[in-house]
Amino acid sequence: MPMKESQWIWFDGEFVPWGEAKVHVLAHALHYGSSVFEGIRAYETSQGTAIFRLEPHVTRLFNSAKIARMPVPFTPEQVTEAIAETVRRNNLRACYIRPLIFRGYEVLGVDPRRCPVHTVIAAFEWGTYLGSEALEQGVDVGVSSWRRMAPDTFPAMAKIGGDYVNSQFMVMEARDRGFVEAIALDVYGYVSEGSGENVFVVQNGIIYTPPLGASILGGITRDSAITIARDLGYEVREQLIPREMLYIADEMFFTGTAAEITPIRSVDGQIIGKGCRGPVTARIQEQFFGITQGKLPDRYGWLYYV
């Protein structure tokens, strides 16, 4: 979906006009993927604009930078306030927020540590990632021929720009095959995650999701869905999931900042359940959107009002 420009981008501590937020063509991140980032949503509520789970997103951003050996020239508190101020400055009621820390221009060798580290924050209007109708009808997905990274190759727990080349291959292949999204297996053949989403499987009233060891990103929306599901009385098991379990699931859904809570209608052409959103998914969605939109009490303290 096309990006809708906002007015201001926070760039290394200053607000610059959207069209003037530029980097050199020899920036290290452009050539080697040496960046870390976050995806965060802010929702419009009756009490004002609220950023969803801002603190854990900022924590993960800094953890990713630490794993990437990238010293951040700002504190978490400074980045937190800068994110909130970027939303305010652009007069956004609901938006997607993209903080990015990246290696700039100085040397072109593979070792990035002589290159300066820059921090930017953009915020802009962005609708439902997989389509608004997908929240009820679900999406058709395919298991990718591309595997997720082995545990001793890339750090799956870090949200590093270069890692997402793998995701690009997955989603391009999926769409060329007529699917909306892909699900990848890990190096051992167990279910891992989508190109930018975590995966949940519901069978006989029990909710399953792959563990961190299955080469997944520890999703914040994933954690939110687990919290909601357990409070609703569901048993949630983080365990290895064989591919064939997908085909006999009663329900499946994706979670992610962009995808939010999106049902999965079919896998590899096999219909899941009744081919639309199931009752367990619907209950989790109801709680998730009720909290994020301010229609239900924020009993977990997830909303940061700007």
Side-chain angles (χ1 to χ4, degrees):
M1 114 185 17
M3 190 178 299
K4 186 174 182 179
E5 294 185 8
S6 296
Q7 187 175 2
W8 300 101
I9 288 178
W10 190 89
F11 200 129
D12 285 344
E14 298 181 0
F15 282 99
V16 299
W18 180 284
E20 296 178 17
K22 299 177 180 179
V23 300
H24 197 280
V25 295
L26 291 178
H28 198 275
L30 184 61
H31 294 261
Y32 298 110
S34 48
S35 64
V36 299
F37 68 96
E38 276 298 315
I40 311 170
R41 276 195 187 269
Y43 292 87
E44 182 178 5
T45 78
S46 58
Q47 291 81 43
T49 299
I51 301 174
F52 181 64
R53 303 202 67 180
L54 178 56
E55 182 179 351
H57 277 290
V58 171
T59 297
R60 189 173 64 182
L61 179 69
F62 276 76
N63 286 344
S64 295
K66 183 177 182 181
I67 291 170
R69 302 187 182 187
M70 190 180 298
V72 185
F74 300 94
T75 66
E77 293 75 20
Q78 287 174 314
V79 171
T80 296
E81 177 52 34
I83 290 171
E85 184 57 28
T86 302
V87 176
R88 294 188 201 106
R89 184 72 64 98
N90 285 294
N91 296 312
L92 294 165
R93 295 182 178 179
C95 62
Y96 182 84
I97 306 162
R98 172 53 59 91
L100 173 74
I101 301 168
F102 68 96
R103 295 275 187 180
Y105 161 68
E106 186 166 321
V107 299
L108 199 59
V110 175
D111 187 339
R113 289 172 290 183
R114 283 182 57 190
C115 294
V117 176
H118 300 287
T119 308
V120 300
I121 301 165
F124 49 92
E125 293 181 10
W126 203 29
T128 305
Y129 180 60
L130 297 176
S132 56
E133 71 285 349
L135 295 176
E136 182 175 350
Q137 297 303 319
V139 293
D140 300 311
V141 308
V143 175
S144 180
S145 67
W146 295 96
R147 298 289 182 98
R148 290 288 287 165
M149 61 281 284
D152 53 354
T153 55
F154 290 85
M157 286 182 63
K159 205 169 176 68
I160 294 177
D163 288 0
Y164 281 77
V165 174
N166 176 256
S167 295
Q168 291 175 47
F169 283 127
M170 287 168 53
V171 74
M172 286 191 292
E173 177 190 58
R175 292 179 182 176
D176 286 347
R177 294 169 59 197
F179 300 118
V180 171
E181 183 54 286
I183 291 175
L185 307 180
D186 67 14
V187 69
Y188 304 108
Y190 292 103
V191 173
S192 180
E193 62 182 8
S195 69
E197 310 90 4
N198 294 116
V199 179
F200 286 78
V201 175
V202 182
Q203 191 172 56
N204 299 323
I206 299 172
I207 302 173
Y208 301 86
T209 194
L212 289 178
S215 194
I216 72 166
L217 181 72
I220 292 166
T221 309
R222 171 184 180 271
D223 175 74
S224 305
I226 291 172
T227 299
I228 290 169
R230 286 177 172 158
D231 276 2
L232 290 173
Y234 294 107
E235 180 181 353
V236 181
R237 298 180 185 176
E238 297 181 64
Q239 67 175 57
L240 294 174
I241 297 174
R243 175 177 179 168
E244 60 270 24
M245 189 173 174
L246 304 180
Y247 305 131
I248 58 174
D250 299 322
E251 301 177 43
M252 288 179 58
F253 59 91
F254 281 133
T255 64
T257 295
E260 298 169 298
I261 311 285
T262 298
I264 296 171
R265 179 169 55 199
S266 71
V267 180
D268 291 339
Q270 299 268 44
I271 298 298
I272 304 303
K274 295 182 179 179
C276 61
R277 178 178 59 192
V280 175
T281 306
R283 290 190 70 193
I284 295 171
Q285 271 188 340
E286 180 183 17
Q287 292 293 310
F288 176 82
F289 288 114
I291 292 169
T292 58
Q293 295 170 4
K295 297 175 182 177
L296 292 176
D298 179 20
R299 58 186 181 276
Y300 308 113
W302 285 346
L303 302 183
Y304 183 104
Y305 288 94
V306 302

